[in-house]
Amino acid sequence: MKIGIVGCAGRMGRMLMNAVLEAPGCQLAGGTDRPGTPTAGQDLGALLGRAALGLTVGQDAKALFAASDAIIDFTAPAATVAHAALAAELGKILVVGTTGLTKDDEAVLAQAAARTTIVYAPNFSVGVNLLMALTERAAAILGDDYDIEIVEMHHRRKVDAPSGTALGLGRSAAKGRGVALDQVWCKSRDGHTGARPKGEIGFATLRGGDVVGDHTVMFAAEEERVELTHKAASRAVFAKGAVRAARWAGSAKPGLYSMRDVLGL
Ligand code: NAD
């Protein structure tokens, strides 16, 4: 499978190119980055600290789509929306890891998916997606005698809280209980909060150092406590998951899929 990387000069773009080069049966079709990037024209191998690959950082997304079977996009919402239109026009597989998409942006992805195969996930780690499936199941089995609290820790540079993944875990827990997360969530606590309401799903956020991403979902009852934990050690895990999604999409019908579809969860 020939895989192209848009946003190839970014932190995830570089991880993604390494993951493609290391995946059996995959070939790097090329990479593009935003207009005006100082990396324009650089050899992709040199960008990765590897031997030259004879492919350079391009700016013509359409040419890259035409030369690829699948494109992986971890860029920014405006770029992703434009890439979705190209994927639909040229009938190419698109794997989207960009976060911060609005409802309107997501609607564009859904429209494009009528014509081609798109996999879209805010977290491509296999372990986190398994954790989401386990959380939904545990919440359904344990019921609301078990108080659900979600604790996450990330590096000091992270700007949003709770993390998108923590909120995703909250949605999984709420789904397991048959409720809407925004009806039961408590995203932070401070001061005289009163007793914990039954059925609440609570969040706690820690920030510090270089932590890539730790998440724990706790189910606390009076007699026992169940804890499900995932710890990411490297951002490479997201890149590997995205390449796995691209390979899976090679045999999927047009449509909009999530990482849970890819993993059969
Ligand atoms: P980054 O800023 O290092 O990289 C983004 C790259 O996209 C930059 O090189 C930028 O120049 C490029 N870009 C912007 N507009 C472009 C365009 N029109 N065409 C081509 N390239 C363009 O950021 P990052 O840390 O690599 O993260 C990128 C995105 O991936 C963010 O939205 C982040 O939240 C998300 N992310 C998702 C996952 C996941 O598992 N889904 C994991 C990590 C990061």
Side-chain angles (χ1 to χ4, degrees):
M1 176 179 259
K2 285 182 280 176
I3 302 181
I5 308 295
V6 287
C8 67
R11 277 168 297 187
M12 283 306 303
R14 292 170 203 234
M15 294 269 178
L16 287 160
M17 289 197 291
N18 273 321
V20 170
L21 290 169
E22 281 156 23
C26 293
Q27 197 187 326
L28 184 62
T32 61
D33 210 274
R34 68 180 159 75
T37 172
T39 57
Q42 268 190 38
D43 186 273
L44 298 183
L47 204 61
L48 301 176
R50 291 175 174 248
L53 290 168
L55 298 164
T56 54
V57 178
Q59 297 187 315
D60 183 349
K62 194 165 185 175
L64 178 63
F65 274 67
S68 307
D69 302 312
I71 300 287
I72 307 182
D73 179 339
F74 282 53
T75 57
T80 295
V81 164
H83 293 144
L86 270 181
E89 183 189 331
L90 300 177
K92 303 292 176 161
I93 292 164
L94 184 65
V95 175
V96 176
T98 309
T99 61
L101 267 59
T102 62
K103 289 257 173 279
D104 287 350
D105 297 337
E106 288 178 342
V108 173
L109 284 191
Q111 267 170 19
R115 293 170 61 190
T116 192
T117 305
I118 300 185
V119 183
Y120 166 49
N123 191 314
F124 272 98
S125 141
V126 171
V128 160
N129 283 279
L130 175 63
L131 183 65
M132 287 186 180
L134 293 173
T135 296
E136 183 178 328
R137 185 141 169 71
I141 292 170
L142 295 174
D144 62 8
D145 280 344
Y146 289 74
D147 299 326
I148 300 178
E149 292 285 311
I150 299 170
V151 184
E152 58 107 334
M153 180 159 186
H154 282 86
H155 53 86
R156 60 167 76 109
R157 293 173 305 283
K158 187 161 179 65
V159 293
D160 52 321
S163 70
T165 300
L167 292 171
L169 288 164
R171 270 190 292 279
S172 299
K175 190 170 173 206
R177 280 195 175 165
V179 296
L181 179 62
D182 60 4
Q183 304 292 307
V184 296
W185 66 13
C186 175
K187 292 202 274 183
S188 66
R189 298 189 181 94
D190 184 28
H192 186 82
T193 60
R196 186 186 202 284
K198 191 175 172 86
E200 185 170 84
I201 296 180
F203 292 84
T205 299
L206 311 180
R207 292 286 174 265
D210 62 352
V211 177
V212 175
D214 292 355
H215 293 88
T216 294
V217 185
M218 294 184 190
F219 298 86
E222 292 195 355
E223 308 82 6
E224 63 177 355
R225 189 160 83 233
V226 178
E227 297 187 4
L228 303 174
T229 294
H230 176 271
K231 296 185 180 188
S234 158
R235 291 160 68 94
V237 75
F238 308 122
K240 276 192 186 168
V243 173
R244 179 166 172 171
R247 298 174 75 186
W248 174 88
S251 53
K253 286 194 289 226
L256 183 59
Y257 300 94
S258 71
M259 193 57 183
R260 283 179 68 171
D261 296 316
V262 173
L263 300 174
L265 293 167

